[in-house]
Amino acid sequence: MNVQIVAVSTAESSQLTTKQDPSPPCRLKWVPTSTDHIVDAEKHLLSLVKTGYKTEQVDIGSGPSGSKIKWFRSSSNEPRYINTVTFDSSQDFPTIVLIHGYGASQGFFFRNFDTLASKFQVIAIDLLGWGGSSRPDFTCKSTEETEAWFIDSFEEWRKAKNLTNFILLGHSFGGYVASKYSLKHPEHVKHLILAGPAGFANESEHSSEQFAKFKSSWKGAVADHIWECNFTPQKLIRGLGPWGRNIVQKYTGNRFGSYSQGDPLTEEESKLLTEYFYHTLAAKASGELCLKYIFSLGAFARKPLLESASEWKVPTTFIYGFVDWMDYQGAELARKEMKVPCDIIRVPQAGHYVFIDNPSGFHEAVLYACHKYISPRSSEVPLFPQGLTAV
């Protein structure tokens, strides 16, 4: 059974048609959320975007033929689909696909869609098990299976969309997925942009003395045990029931408002992002359960991308906020091993969410990285954007 949502939106109006089973009234549930709430929250957040768009649930089938790892293993008969948002733009523009980070969803790029759509054909997705995508039972039991869950489902999505020769941009955990995908399927990606990517640092070389001391203490032992039990932040939000929204609201208000490193959210932006963030966090656990299989305590990759740097086949641009907690030095080490062009750009007045903190700086970095795709007939190399830092 194929389930599809199609929506077209402009700044003035937005329409949505959906076919799906009705959910029980959320006011009667301990965790007041549903698929309908995610869809509505996404629509409301994207009302901030002036560019028209369409939303579709792309059927990825039951799994790739011959695959040892099948992400659809589940006792349910739910459809398997990837929530996809495509923005109106010229067919002559290069295609860029955006992948969100851990705990986020495609709507987090709401401050970027208008500018990017003026130069690219922009497609943003929710990874399998996140946001508005289907949420199969997560049955992976190893790092290899977990990586396959995301890489293979993304490849099936690419086939369904008939895409190739595109620019792939991933943030944080999405950068990890984008990197692993590009290592396996480099023939489809012409440029890789990694915004504050996770997975390049390894614990043995990048762990601080303070963290090592903490990990060897009884508190560290407890924290490590909780991590290995796969206790995710989302479980806390669900456990708090109707009070979980307050935690999300406080985090959003602080991280992107009071303690923002750059351009704080407006009151309306904060309200709409909070609602969207809450419903995507509180929904059924699925993709989030990748956490302990991909990373160890401290967000160190169990299979660091640094170890695969010599196998890189796709030109790459790293983008970091000046105060990103992801260390850009991991990218420096990777660049030394890469045999393809690689740039590292740091954006001022920005933290880990560089594209929210300093949208204009982020856009300048992306446009600089992709200048030869935007203007393929021009032989001139543009000046490096003022205010940004090349490493």
Side-chain angles (χ1 to χ4, degrees):
M1 179 180 69
N2 293 339
V3 177
Q4 186 176 53
I5 292 179
V6 178
V8 178
S9 169
T10 65
E12 292 77 26
S13 65
S14 177
Q15 294 182 341
L16 183 71
T17 61
T18 176
K19 295 181 180 180
Q20 55 188 10
D21 296 332
S23 301
C26 281
R27 65 180 179 274
L28 302 179
K29 299 168 64 177
W30 174 251
V31 182
T33 191
S34 68
T35 301
D36 287 341
H37 278 71
I38 294 176
V39 170
D40 287 343
E42 177 186 278
K43 181 179 66 172
H44 293 151
L45 180 63
L46 294 184
S47 70
L48 298 171
V49 180
K50 297 177 181 179
T51 306
Y53 68 91
K54 73 172 183 179
T55 300
E56 58 184 330
Q57 294 181 338
V58 178
D59 190 336
I60 59 173
S62 57
S65 58
S67 175
K68 295 180 181 179
I69 311 304
K70 297 189 176 182
W71 58 81
F72 58 88
R73 291 185 299 180
S74 170
S75 59
S76 69
N77 293 316
E78 297 173 6
R80 309 296 182 237
Y81 56 84
I82 298 292
N83 188 45
T84 306
V85 183
T86 304
F87 291 85
D88 296 346
S89 62
S90 169
Q91 294 299 308
D92 295 329
F93 290 167
T95 298
I96 187 169
V97 178
L98 310 184
I99 303 181
H100 60 85
Y102 186 90
S105 301
Q106 56 79 17
F108 271 63
F109 292 105
F110 72 94
R111 279 186 155 188
N112 315 114
F113 291 136
D114 283 329
T115 298
L116 293 181
S118 69
K119 298 293 183 180
F120 302 94
Q121 295 183 59
V122 180
I123 304 175
I125 68 165
D126 290 330
L127 291 169
L128 183 66
W130 297 92
S133 292
S134 59
R135 296 179 178 240
D137 297 338
F138 189 86
T139 57
C140 302
K141 299 299 181 184
S142 69
T143 300
E144 293 79 9
E145 288 186 4
T146 304
E147 288 182 352
W149 165 288
F150 295 107
I151 296 170
D152 290 351
S153 60
F154 183 82
E155 172 61 4
E156 292 305 302
W157 171 85
R158 183 204 65 78
K159 291 177 183 177
K161 292 292 290 180
N162 193 29
L163 288 176
T164 193
N165 199 34
F166 54 87
I167 300 160
L168 185 56
L169 187 156
H171 170 245
S172 195
F173 173 66
Y176 181 89
V177 173
S179 297
K180 291 287 184 174
Y181 176 82
S182 298
L183 283 165
K184 187 173 181 178
H185 300 284
E187 68 276 11
H188 299 303
V189 183
K190 63 181 176 182
H191 198 92
L192 185 61
I193 301 178
L194 304 175
F200 278 89
N202 57 55
E203 186 173 356
S204 60
E205 295 184 19
H206 294 88
S207 178
S208 67
E209 183 178 341
Q210 184 179 7
F211 178 75
K213 185 176 180 181
F214 167 76
K215 196 170 181 181
S216 63
S217 68
W218 70 267
K219 293 180 181 179
V222 171
D224 191 58
H225 176 73
I226 293 174
W227 184 278
E228 293 300 326
C229 288
N230 220 359
F231 185 86
T232 65
Q234 292 90 327
K235 289 182 180 180
L236 174 63
I237 299 301
R238 293 187 201 99
L240 291 172
W243 294 279
R245 181 186 271 101
N246 296 336
I247 300 297
V248 176
Q249 183 177 18
K250 186 173 182 179
Y251 170 80
T252 304
N254 288 335
R255 171 59 185 84
F256 302 112
S258 305
Y259 300 107
S260 172
Q261 300 293 334
D263 183 15
L265 297 183
T266 65
E267 184 177 345
E268 182 183 17
E269 288 175 327
S270 183
K271 178 182 178 181
L272 294 177
L273 181 60
T274 294
E275 192 70 6
Y276 175 71
F277 197 13
Y278 169 72
H279 288 297
T280 57
L281 289 176
K284 174 188 172 182
S286 182
E288 74 188 63
L289 299 175
C290 72
L291 192 60
K292 82 164 189 176
Y293 297 108
I294 299 294
F295 304 107
S296 61
L297 181 66
F300 294 106
R302 297 190 186 276
K303 288 195 170 185
L305 289 163
L306 189 58
E307 297 175 358
S308 303
S310 62
E311 304 169 25
W312 230 254
K313 294 181 175 64
V314 178
T316 301
T317 301
F318 292 87
I319 301 176
Y320 292 88
F322 265 29
V323 288
D324 195 330
W325 65 276
M326 289 293 179
D327 191 351
Y328 72 90
Q329 293 177 344
E332 286 186 296
L333 294 174
R335 181 169 59 180
K336 293 178 181 178
E337 302 296 325
M338 290 180 181
K339 300 178 180 64
V340 295
C342 177
D343 293 320
I344 303 173
I345 302 174
R346 299 183 70 198
V347 178
Q349 296 181 307
H352 188 51
Y353 287 93
V354 55
F355 50 92
I356 294 180
D357 294 332
N358 187 347
S360 60
F362 174 75
H363 298 151
E364 288 182 340
V366 171
L367 295 178
Y368 178 80
C370 300
H371 64 84
K372 66 180 180 180
Y373 311 116
I374 297 171
S375 304
R377 297 177 183 175
S378 175
S379 59
E380 294 184 9
V381 178
L383 295 175
F384 187 80
Q386 187 175 5
L388 306 186
T389 300
V391 179

